Amino acid sequence: MDRKGTMVELQRGRTPNGNKEILRTLTVGLDKVSSFIRKEYFASYIKEGGSKIKFLMGKKGAGKTHLLALMAMEAEEEGFLSISLDAQSILLSDMTNLYMALYRALDFEDIVSRISESIMTSLGYDYDRKVGKSALAWLSDRGEQSAIVRQELRSEVRKTIISNKELDHNFAQILSLKVSEKLGILAIDEDLEALSDDWLNVERSVKVAKLRSYGLAGYKINKTNARRLLKSLGEAVHLAGYSGLFVSVDNLQNIVSNSSLEEVKYTKMKRDDAYEVIRQLIDDIDVFRYFFLILSFDRILVDHEKWGMKSYQALWLRVQNEIVSGRVNLYNDLLDLDKINPAILVPQSVMEMSRRLTELFRSENFSAHEVTEKEAEAILKESRYGSVSIPLLTNQYTLQLKEAEK
């Protein structure tokens, strides 16, 4: 997106996608939240093999998408692979769909290449996956290829992947085949390679009998075992040399939307199934490793009496204590920006947010107005009693789209 397009997005109260410089520039207050997550989770707990699921809630314009982008950026700085998903394009009534969205969002071939390089490094070789040739071909050029080296590579693949109990059986078998081919210690049959790719992509054409004929277990990826595959993706990312996997899913409120314009639509049954998927993720997250998942949504997902989380008791029982707490605690699994923002944003914060916006817009010849202290106090007051969040009000008033209520 060009700079003018970024300005238009900001005028609409949206976080600029992919512009780290502007993201940092416009961050006021929310950096306290992202810094906490970075210190307590990315830099320690997750990097050491832990896992966590968190929820992010707030009114429209509260800064949810902005905070997700900030977290993703800081996760990458800590060595994580960052994947951002949007619930508006994922039917979450089946865990398989979440797995597929995640698998297709990452570059699996790059993961394979990185694991191959990591295996070579563990054996003391300074092999670079970007040389454009297999590890054995690279060793041959150096005059170091031998039967002993081949055996060492096979042994390392077996120890790192095939014997890894954290990986799904078929996933481990397929990953070991792909890594072995990248290392140059075997060549995968074209039919087997196509079958493996189809299995990972959850293609319906996959035949159980054919899987067995190639020595793979006779099962497909489905909603029952998809959690195991999600866990396997996180493990593979770590084997590839990343500190862990950061996954954000934005716009979860789509579950309760009844708009005909939505790409993904929910019936009552599918809505309950989606809540069950979230419930399972909460219950199973502790068996994952090197995995951080955050789900973001507008308040309506909680507040909607008929279709919201309260309508599914198995899920509501797991999150209600987080929601009723009146105290801001960043260790909570649910981060409520409508409570966090008033606690960390004072009139001076609003003025600084407005100043940065004004400076940015004026540099592109857009009209903007810096709010005064009195206006900032009025914005804070309005946000407490209205349906519009502090960041969005500040944005609107700075761009003179509305006037703060006195």
Side-chain angles (χ1 to χ4, degrees):
M1 183 185 296
D2 60 22
R3 198 168 178 86
K4 188 171 182 179
T6 297
M7 296 300 108
V8 172
E9 288 296 290
L10 286 171
Q11 281 184 311
R12 296 170 177 169
R14 297 173 183 168
T15 295
N17 184 28
N19 195 317
K20 293 184 179 182
E21 178 187 356
I22 291 180
L23 185 65
R24 287 280 194 205
T25 299
L26 296 182
T27 300
V28 177
L30 289 179
D31 53 328
K32 294 180 181 178
V33 181
S34 64
S35 295
F36 176 87
I37 298 296
R38 179 173 187 164
K39 177 185 175 184
E40 298 298 329
Y41 295 101
F42 301 156
S44 53
Y45 180 64
I46 306 298
K47 189 177 286 189
E48 292 165 4
S51 61
K52 190 65 180 176
I53 181 171
K54 278 187 176 284
F55 300 88
L56 182 63
M57 179 175 72
K59 293 182 280 193
K60 181 180 179 180
K64 300 183 296 296
T65 302
H66 186 103
L67 182 56
L68 291 181
L70 197 61
M71 286 183 182
M73 183 172 66
E74 297 195 341
E76 289 173 1
E77 290 172 355
E78 288 292 338
F80 282 69
L81 176 63
S82 170
I83 302 293
S84 299
L85 303 175
D86 193 325
Q88 291 180 321
S89 58
I90 308 170
L91 185 61
L92 290 172
S93 55
D94 190 326
M95 188 79 76
T96 310
N97 294 334
L98 179 58
Y99 158 77
M100 286 193 294
L102 183 55
Y103 173 75
R104 293 169 185 178
L106 55 79
D107 186 342
F108 196 68
E109 288 305 312
D110 183 61
I111 296 297
V112 169
S113 294
R114 287 173 178 270
I115 294 175
S116 304
E117 182 180 84
S118 178
I119 286 175
M120 288 290 285
T121 300
S122 70
L123 294 176
Y125 298 107
D126 59 350
Y127 172 71
D128 185 344
R129 67 184 185 281
K130 297 176 183 178
V131 297
K133 57 180 69 177
S134 71
L136 273 187
W138 177 80
L139 285 170
S140 180
D141 291 346
R142 293 159 54 103
E144 297 182 47
Q145 185 186 153
S146 68
I148 294 176
V149 171
R150 282 176 173 271
Q151 185 55 43
E152 286 179 336
L153 289 173
R154 289 194 184 97
S155 178
E156 197 64 24
V157 169
R158 189 178 305 110
K159 181 179 71 175
T160 304
I161 303 173
I162 298 176
S163 299
N164 190 330
K165 301 301 182 184
E166 305 298 328
L167 296 172
D168 170 84
H169 178 271
N170 275 2
F171 184 94
Q173 295 297 319
I174 292 170
L175 182 60
S176 68
L177 288 172
K178 288 180 173 291
V179 169
S180 295
E181 183 174 55
K182 190 68 66 174
L183 290 170
I185 56 179
L186 66 75
I188 305 179
D189 175 88
E190 287 185 8
D191 195 35
L192 174 57
E193 185 172 20
L195 177 65
S196 299
D197 290 339
D198 286 347
W199 188 86
L200 289 170
N201 272 293
V202 200
E203 296 290 346
R204 292 184 178 181
S205 59
V206 172
K207 304 297 183 184
V208 169
K210 196 168 185 180
L211 289 170
R212 289 174 177 152
S213 71
Y214 278 106
L216 296 170
Y219 61 88
K220 301 180 185 181
I221 299 173
N222 54 41
K223 63 182 180 181
T224 302
N225 59 33
R227 280 170 286 168
R228 211 160 65 234
L229 271 297
L230 282 173
K231 178 184 177 183
S232 297
L233 286 177
E235 189 71 19
V237 165
H238 182 255
L239 290 177
Y242 289 99
S243 299
L245 179 59
F246 170 87
V247 179
S248 67
V249 183
D250 202 0
N251 294 311
L252 206 68
Q253 73 278 353
N254 187 58
I255 292 174
V256 297
S257 175
N258 63 353
S259 172
S260 60
L261 300 177
E262 296 289 356
E263 179 182 345
V264 173
K265 301 176 181 64
Y266 289 85
T267 60
K268 182 185 186 306
M269 182 177 296
K270 287 183 178 178
R271 190 176 298 116
D272 285 349
D273 287 342
Y275 287 144
E276 175 61 15
V277 165
I278 298 170
R279 197 277 304 167
Q280 290 176 10
L281 287 170
I282 293 172
D283 287 356
D284 290 354
I285 196 67
D286 286 342
V287 304
F288 285 53
R289 301 201 309 172
Y290 310 105
F291 202 106
F292 188 98
L293 172 64
I294 183 162
L295 307 176
S296 174
F297 48 88
D298 288 353
R299 301 198 68 85
I300 191 172
L301 189 65
V302 169
D303 295 341
H304 199 295
E305 291 293 336
K306 186 176 180 181
W307 299 338
M309 286 185 179
K310 295 175 186 177
S311 68
Y312 196 78
Q313 282 297 307
L315 174 60
W316 179 242
L317 289 172
R318 287 161 173 78
V319 299
Q320 63 176 326
N321 291 335
E322 298 280 349
I323 294 171
V324 299
S325 173
R327 178 171 164 268
V328 173
N329 180 358
L330 297 181
Y331 282 109
N332 279 350
D333 289 342
L334 186 134
L335 303 174
D336 186 346
L337 288 186
D338 295 332
K339 292 178 180 177
I340 293 172
N341 279 333
I344 62 178
L345 294 177
V346 295
Q348 287 71 29
S349 308
V350 174
M351 292 166 65
E352 175 63 14
M353 193 184 302
S354 177
R355 184 194 69 76
R356 295 185 186 188
L357 270 171
T358 300
E359 186 177 278
L360 182 63
F361 271 91
R362 286 179 179 170
S363 70
E364 298 296 322
N365 298 317
F366 284 81
S367 175
H369 158 80
E370 282 190 48
V371 302
T372 64
E373 184 172 1
K374 183 177 180 180
E375 291 164 340
E377 290 172 349
I379 287 172
L380 290 172
K381 180 180 178 181
E382 183 179 346
S383 72
R384 285 197 296 272
Y385 302 107
S387 60
V388 184
S389 62
I390 295 171
L392 184 55
L393 277 173
T394 305
N395 181 294
Q396 291 175 345
Y397 191 66
T398 300
L399 301 178
Q400 299 175 301
L401 302 177
K402 76 183 298 292
E403 188 174 330
E405 295 177 3
K406 303 297 189 284

